[in-house]
Amino acid sequence: MNLFDNILKHDETLFKNELSLDYEYLPHVLKYREDQQQHIATIIKPLFQGRMGSNILITGKPGIGKTAATKHVLREMEQYSDKIKGLYVNCWKYDTAYKIIVELCQQLGYKWVQNKKTNELMKEIAKILNKKAAVIILDEVDKLKEEQIIYFILEDIYKKCIIMVSNEKDFISYLDERTRSRLMPEILTFEAYTYKETYDILNERKISAFYEDIILDEDFERVVEKTSELKDIRSGLFLLKESGNAAEIRSSRKIENIDVIKAISKLSHFQASKISLDDEEKTLLEIIKGKNGSKSSEIFKEYQIKFNKSDRTFRRKVSKLRDNNLIESKDGKDDQGNLVPFLHFKKL
Ligand SMILES: Nc1ncnc2c1ncn2[C@@H]1O[C@H](COP(=O)(O)OP(=O)(O)OP(=O)(O)O)[C@@H](O)[C@H]1O
Ligand SMILES: [Mg+2]
């Protein structure tokens, strides 16, 4: 063996298929979510018999396969039969009724979108979908700026299942009463993966992403441990990719311990960027930071001056900040001795 054999040549790479470390990548088989996929399939099954379907809200922490599982079910459903039309929309990307409807038109191949209003387009969509049945996935549904789209779908499309996905388990309680009472979704909670499950999932991705024997077991296990601690597969994919990049930068043919350590050191940055807040949420966080430890009602007053939004919207935004560990809500006594929530800013 030559002293320089371990050097990666300029046109060489450690990655066999870097795409398989992509967060959007959908593996052919989705292990450890069989029960949940089966559950979602059960909700859809009545549609195959020409009956009405029901609705479901899937919740759980980030990076645990909610999107992957729902997309998988949709893929299998389409492979099984063309009786039901499957539609998938990410409500973060398409956050208004109009944007969602235009996206649905696109997926349905309806081209005469220009110069039509939202409700006119909705009628066209209903005309197409009411010839069959539809499964509509509204992913990241809590990012919707206009919930009226849910109402449209509920009212205008007859045989359908609405599958909503959200990290916010309280999402339904923030909806308008009219929508809520028609929607009545079943709730399916995804739990985080165990260590062994995390190991197997990442191992599969490692095998398809890298050439053989690129990383020692003990270094790979370090990646699994960190991922398991964070309970988020996406951070494991980040670590694998960043470790590979770090090794390539050193022109090494192997990923070594120092590469994994380097990748882990970048994690906090990745995690901070993962919490995506809209402008209103960012401003609310700033208000809470400025009035740290104030009564929730005082913060609401300032928020309302800026955004003129309802108490319901405010509570929803506060819950999101709390769920993401950015703030803390602690009960305390006000001047009259009543127990009320006080909001505290938390450092990342
Ligand atoms: N069981 C699994 N097998 C293989 N890959 C998985 C599995 N579960 C999750 N993944 C992968 O982990 C990544 C994150 O999963 P996914 O996007 O489904 O998370 P999520 O629960 O929707 O998160 P978020 O709430 O942030 O949207 C994806 O790349 C996905 O393919
Ligand atoms: Mg998702």
Side-chain angles (χ1 to χ4, degrees):
M1 177 164 152
N2 186 285
L3 261 180
F4 299 99
D5 272 352
N6 273 341
I7 297 182
L8 203 63
K9 298 198 181 73
H10 73 281
D11 57 348
E12 282 180 330
T13 170
L14 303 181
F15 296 98
K16 183 168 66 182
N17 176 17
E18 199 172 349
L19 276 183
S20 66
L21 294 178
D22 241 49
Y23 306 144
E24 304 290 320
Y25 176 85
L26 193 58
H28 286 296
V29 182
L30 200 68
K31 268 192 183 165
Y32 305 121
R33 286 299 179 212
E34 292 87 355
D35 290 352
Q36 289 83 355
Q37 292 177 76
Q38 200 61 53
H39 191 128
I40 303 168
T42 315
I43 298 278
I44 298 174
K45 274 180 196 159
L47 294 180
F48 283 107
Q49 293 137 5
R51 291 192 281 134
M52 312 280 272
S54 43
N55 307 313
I56 189 165
L57 172 70
I58 296 169
T59 69
K61 295 255 181 307
I64 56 169
K66 300 183 300 298
T67 297
T70 45
K71 282 190 168 171
H72 233 266
V73 174
L74 212 58
R75 188 153 84 183
E76 300 237 320
M77 183 189 88
E78 281 168 344
Q79 281 167 4
Y80 176 72
S81 150
D82 59 4
K83 264 187 164 178
I84 308 174
K85 182 70 199 164
L87 298 156
Y88 171 91
V89 187
N90 185 308
C91 300
W92 202 353
K93 200 164 161 197
Y94 305 101
D95 58 0
T96 64
Y98 182 74
K99 283 188 207 164
I100 289 183
I101 285 174
V102 170
E103 171 60 16
L104 293 180
C105 286
Q106 161 91 12
Q107 291 184 28
L108 289 168
Y110 178 84
K111 296 194 183 68
W112 298 273
V113 175
Q114 271 179 5
N115 303 325
K116 287 207 176 76
K117 297 203 181 86
T118 308
N119 53 349
E120 291 168 340
L121 288 173
M122 189 62 214
K123 294 277 174 272
E124 296 298 337
I125 289 174
K127 246 191 251 169
I128 302 172
L129 291 181
N130 285 336
K131 288 187 185 133
K132 335 189 191 183
V135 171
I136 301 168
I137 297 178
L138 298 176
D139 199 358
E140 318 245 12
V141 66
D142 49 286
K143 304 290 187 319
L144 265 184
K145 291 204 180 113
E146 299 165 350
E147 63 178 70
Q148 139 219 30
I149 180 68
I150 304 179
Y151 188 80
F152 272 161
I153 299 171
L154 284 164
E155 283 291 286
D156 294 354
I157 297 165
Y158 307 138
K159 288 181 193 142
K160 81 276 173 181
C161 284
I162 306 179
I163 299 177
M164 292 165 294
V165 185
S166 167
N167 300 136
E168 290 184 47
K169 58 181 184 311
D170 299 336
F171 167 74
I172 298 296
S173 64
Y174 301 118
L175 289 175
D176 186 272
E177 172 60 31
R178 283 184 317 159
T179 309
R180 205 170 354 132
S181 64
R182 285 168 172 77
L183 195 58
M184 298 236 282
E186 195 181 310
I187 313 272
L188 175 63
T189 307
F190 277 43
E191 302 297 340
Y193 294 112
T194 62
Y195 181 89
K196 159 121 191 6
E197 290 169 344
T198 307
Y199 184 101
D200 288 350
I201 292 168
L202 289 180
N203 197 37
E204 240 170 40
R205 295 291 261 264
K206 180 194 85 177
I207 292 168
S208 75
F210 294 112
Y211 289 106
E212 244 172 277
D213 297 329
I214 291 276
I215 178 167
L216 282 179
D217 283 349
E218 63 199 61
D219 293 325
F220 175 66
E221 273 163 31
R222 185 74 202 92
V223 169
V224 179
E225 271 163 32
K226 193 72 203 167
T227 310
S228 187
E229 195 183 302
L230 297 168
K231 302 183 174 23
D232 175 353
I233 298 293
R234 224 176 266 130
S235 52
L237 299 175
F238 171 88
L239 288 176
L240 286 177
K241 200 171 186 171
E242 284 299 316
S243 304
N245 287 337
E248 283 196 346
I249 286 170
R250 295 189 301 111
S251 302
S252 166
R253 281 181 189 274
K254 300 252 182 213
I255 294 174
E256 287 169 18
N257 187 258
I258 42 166
D259 303 311
V260 175
I261 292 173
K262 180 137 196 218
I264 291 177
S265 75
K266 287 188 176 175
L267 251 183
S268 60
H269 184 68
F270 160 76
Q271 285 185 297
S273 67
K274 220 174 52 171
I275 308 170
S276 23
L277 304 177
D278 62 25
D279 290 345
E280 212 175 302
E281 288 153 354
K282 280 184 198 148
T283 311
L284 176 59
L285 189 62
E286 284 307 310
I287 298 176
I288 297 173
K289 199 169 166 185
K291 294 180 111 345
N292 198 8
S294 297
K295 269 187 293 185
S296 176
S297 55
E298 273 171 35
I299 290 167
F300 173 59
K301 264 187 218 150
E302 197 159 320
Y303 167 81
Q304 208 189 20
I305 294 170
K306 284 211 158 71
F307 296 107
N308 193 22
K309 290 277 176 70
S310 68
D311 181 43
R312 200 156 55 103
T313 312
F314 171 72
R315 278 187 287 127
R316 186 172 142 194
K317 304 267 179 214
V318 165
S319 265
K320 172 166 176 195
L321 298 179
R322 202 190 49 218
D323 287 352
N324 279 302
N325 249 341
L326 296 170
I327 62 164
E328 220 177 342
S329 170
K330 291 185 192 158
D331 282 344
K333 288 198 172 147
D334 67 3
D335 298 341
Q336 283 76 41
N338 301 318
L339 215 54
V340 294
F342 287 73
L343 302 181
H344 300 261
F345 177 75
K346 276 173 86 172
K347 290 198 182 70
L348 267 180

